[in-house]
Amino acid sequence: MELPLEYTNKMTELLGKEEFARYRQALDSARAFGIRVNTLKITTDEFIEELGECIGIGERIPWTSDGFYYDPFDGKGAEQPGKLPFYHAGLYYLQEPSAMYPAEQLDVKPGDKVLDLCAAPGGKSTKLAAKLKGTGLLVANDVSEERVKALIYNLELAGVRNAVVTNEPPDRLWPNFSEYFDKILIDAPCSGEGMFRKDAEAVKSWGKFKTELCMKLQQEILEAAHRLIKPGGRLLYSTCTFDPREDEEMIRSFMSRHPEYFLVPLVKPGGVEDGLNGMREAARLWPHKLNGEGHFAALLEKQSSEYEVRSEDSRVSKTQSYQICREAPAEFAAFWKKNLYGEIPEGFYYTAGSALYYLPCLPPVLDGIKAPKIGLRLGDLNYGKFKPYQQFATSYGEFFRRKISFPWQDEALKRYLRGETLTGIEAEDGWSAICVGRHVIGMGILSGGTLKNLYPKGWRRML
């Protein structure tokens, strides 16, 4: 790998000649691949038992509770995870191993209100959602309208019910969410030096996105987060770069402006090291010292605030533009009782046009900001009937009375994921969950042995 001379000189000065040589050698070695289990849908033990052999998973990733290494080029007949029907059931997320560290280290508890401030494409958001276990609220924000599409897809595929997606610059969130969140994750835009081995384009673009160009943006994001975090709340800042100006110095500068914050020591298994320049509480993941591409993380706790803590009801002067009720609409309740087991979900229901949405907690006031996803879009209410969306299947498919299940190798599953009509199916007519084994990937309506395929066009894959 050819590195820019300016970068080589900078890293040699940072690491010293001998350690830089080891770092340089690591960049020419094979990169690590990681897979993280979606514990909203399957436990890690179940994952090993059911999927371990066909994926060919290796050792556990030491700094996360639900991640494994895998080798896509092992030559032993294991399948690439992204091409398996299990992926389309939302059972796991493919993620670079060191990128799993930040969300694991943010001490999210069930019931928390959590913000992922730079969330797309959703790897860290889906992990935070798993830690919430369907309770509390996750707000996943990204400034890019295009990247938000991938974020929404990954949250829906993972079966996340308690997420709101916003599409704003971080400082635009403050009027609606002043000192609102218990936990905030900032995986900040950076010069991307920890991406060099993974992505050759990152090397080419380094000259355009140097540290000097990233620092102003990082400072602005941290200042926005300061206004959004509650007193007593915790903020985890991370980057995938090695430059101390974007890492330790960025944190020191922030703390000098806001002395109410203190550093919380991070857990450092598997070769994770302390931060540089005396910042022992922070963490660095180096590609020549562990099996990952590289990351920096620092965890801060806010002791007090210069801002007034406002009540939920007085947070903004605007009124909510949609009506919220605790009782499920009659059309939805009728569909549930006819086609699903169990109790109708308790929480908050609201409509926008014909679309029916649900959140297990009270939705925040979102008027004035772009929010392309507000909770779980259950489906549509039209002409006195409820028609479910794909997100309903990914979140509640396990409760369907009728399930049509195929082995993971079955060609019928590939045809289903391509959107084709399936025939010759012997099962009871009606709305059915379509499964790989016991895991739901979508829905269909069976009539006389023919399955009307309801897998959405935007999700279809040419497998």
Side-chain angles (χ1 to χ4, degrees):
M1 179 187 298
E2 288 293 327
L3 296 176
L5 179 60
E6 182 182 351
Y7 178 73
T8 297
N9 292 337
K10 184 183 79 168
M11 290 297 288
T12 301
E13 183 178 353
L14 179 67
L15 297 173
K17 289 184 178 180
E18 290 186 6
E19 188 170 346
F20 175 76
R22 293 194 293 273
Y23 165 75
R24 183 69 184 79
Q25 185 179 13
L27 295 187
D28 289 325
S29 64
R31 56 163 288 207
F33 290 83
I35 186 168
R36 182 175 50 75
V37 181
N38 177 15
T39 56
L40 287 175
K41 294 195 171 190
I42 188 172
T43 69
T44 53
D45 289 341
E46 290 169 340
F47 174 82
I48 294 169
E49 182 179 352
E50 295 182 38
L51 283 72
E53 186 174 345
C54 65
I55 292 176
I57 60 170
E59 296 180 356
R60 286 180 178 264
I61 296 171
W63 46 84
T64 186
S65 60
D66 48 15
F68 298 85
Y69 293 105
Y70 77 96
D71 184 357
F73 314 109
D74 68 357
K76 298 177 183 177
E79 298 283 344
Q80 293 188 26
K83 295 183 178 181
L84 290 171
F86 298 114
Y87 174 82
H88 303 285
L91 301 186
Y92 49 81
Y93 188 91
L94 304 179
Q95 190 172 23
E96 191 279 310
S98 60
M100 298 183 193
Y101 184 79
E104 179 73 27
Q105 291 297 312
L106 185 59
D107 187 29
V108 170
K109 298 285 196 305
D112 279 347
K113 294 174 181 174
V114 182
L115 171 64
D116 189 353
L117 200 46
C118 309
K124 296 176 178 67
S125 288
T126 51
K127 167 68 176 186
L128 296 172
K131 296 183 83 168
L132 286 171
K133 299 181 179 179
T135 67
L137 177 70
L138 171 66
V139 176
N141 179 75
D142 202 273
V143 69
S144 167
E145 186 174 345
E146 190 61 32
R147 284 168 57 85
V148 156
K149 296 176 184 177
L151 171 61
I152 291 173
Y153 169 76
N154 283 315
L155 287 168
E156 291 177 348
L157 184 65
V160 178
R161 304 169 186 169
N162 57 330
V164 168
V165 174
T166 56
N167 177 210
E168 294 284 0
D171 61 354
R172 288 271 296 126
L173 299 177
W174 177 69
N176 295 67
F177 293 105
S178 174
E179 295 195 328
Y180 181 85
F181 294 101
D182 301 292
K183 309 285 166 55
I184 296 180
L185 176 64
I186 302 173
D187 193 41
C190 65
S191 53
E193 296 167 358
M195 301 286 286
F196 283 3
R197 181 168 56 176
K198 177 183 175 183
D199 184 2
E201 291 300 316
V203 181
K204 297 177 184 179
S205 64
W206 179 80
K208 299 178 183 178
F209 299 100
K210 291 182 181 178
T211 289
E212 293 82 2
L213 299 177
C214 297
M215 289 175 61
K216 184 175 184 297
L217 182 57
Q218 292 160 356
Q219 290 171 350
E220 291 172 352
I221 292 172
L222 277 165
E223 289 301 320
H226 166 60
R227 305 179 106 188
L228 299 169
I229 194 78
K230 290 178 178 179
R234 288 188 172 185
L235 185 161
L236 193 140
Y237 173 86
S238 68
T239 74
C240 60
T241 198
F242 303 124
D243 196 304
R245 291 172 293 173
E246 298 180 63
D247 296 338
E248 290 89 352
E249 292 178 25
M250 183 61 58
I251 293 300
R252 282 202 174 92
S253 175
F254 174 76
M255 294 178 69
S256 70
R257 297 190 301 274
H258 303 288
E260 64 266 37
Y261 288 87
F262 65 91
L263 281 163
V264 178
L266 292 169
V267 179
K268 298 164 188 161
V272 180
E273 294 195 343
D274 294 347
L276 300 179
N277 304 323
M279 190 174 286
R280 298 180 62 185
E281 299 90 345
R284 277 185 171 257
L285 289 78
W286 296 98
H288 59 295
K289 296 184 177 181
L290 47 72
N291 202 8
E293 300 306 294
H295 237 77
F296 168 83
L299 181 61
L300 301 119
E301 184 168 318
K302 185 178 187 178
Q303 299 180 88
S304 62
S305 175
E306 64 196 73
Y307 298 102
E308 178 187 357
V309 181
R310 304 183 224 173
S311 71
E312 300 272 333
D313 296 332
S314 65
R315 196 168 301 281
V316 292
S317 59
K318 301 169 185 174
T319 58
Q320 194 76 278
S321 63
Y322 45 85
Q323 296 298 312
I324 302 168
C325 64
R326 295 297 302 263
E327 187 175 347
E331 302 95 323
F332 175 74
F335 180 90
W336 183 284
K337 290 177 181 178
K338 181 178 180 180
N339 296 290
L340 287 85
Y341 292 112
E343 298 297 322
I344 296 171
E346 293 185 358
F348 296 86
Y349 295 85
Y350 51 99
T351 57
S354 64
L356 175 65
Y357 295 84
Y358 166 81
L359 263 177
C361 62
L362 182 66
V365 176
L366 295 166
D367 289 6
I369 61 176
K370 289 185 286 186
K373 177 179 173 61
I374 309 173
L376 175 64
R377 186 170 182 175
L378 297 169
D380 275 346
L381 302 173
N382 277 316
Y383 306 107
K385 293 184 178 181
F386 169 75
K387 180 181 178 181
Y389 273 35
Q390 172 70 10
Q391 302 94 290
F392 180 75
T394 57
S395 294
Y396 290 107
E398 64 184 291
F399 297 104
F400 267 74
R401 294 178 184 274
R402 291 173 290 274
K403 296 184 177 70
I404 300 172
S405 180
F406 301 95
W408 70 268
Q409 307 96 326
D410 199 314
E411 184 65 27
L413 278 177
K414 294 182 180 181
R415 292 172 54 209
Y416 176 79
L417 290 167
R418 291 195 293 263
E420 298 177 16
T421 298
L422 304 183
T423 59
I425 297 175
E426 296 182 3
E428 181 185 353
D429 286 356
W431 284 89
S432 303
I434 311 304
C435 306
V436 49
R438 64 185 181 91
H439 304 288
V440 176
I441 59 176
M443 293 177 298
I445 302 175
L446 188 66
S447 178
T450 298
L451 183 77
K452 181 179 179 181
N453 195 324
L454 298 178
Y455 200 67
K457 291 182 179 180
W459 288 35
R460 293 174 186 175
R461 297 293 183 267
M462 299 304 293
L463 298 177

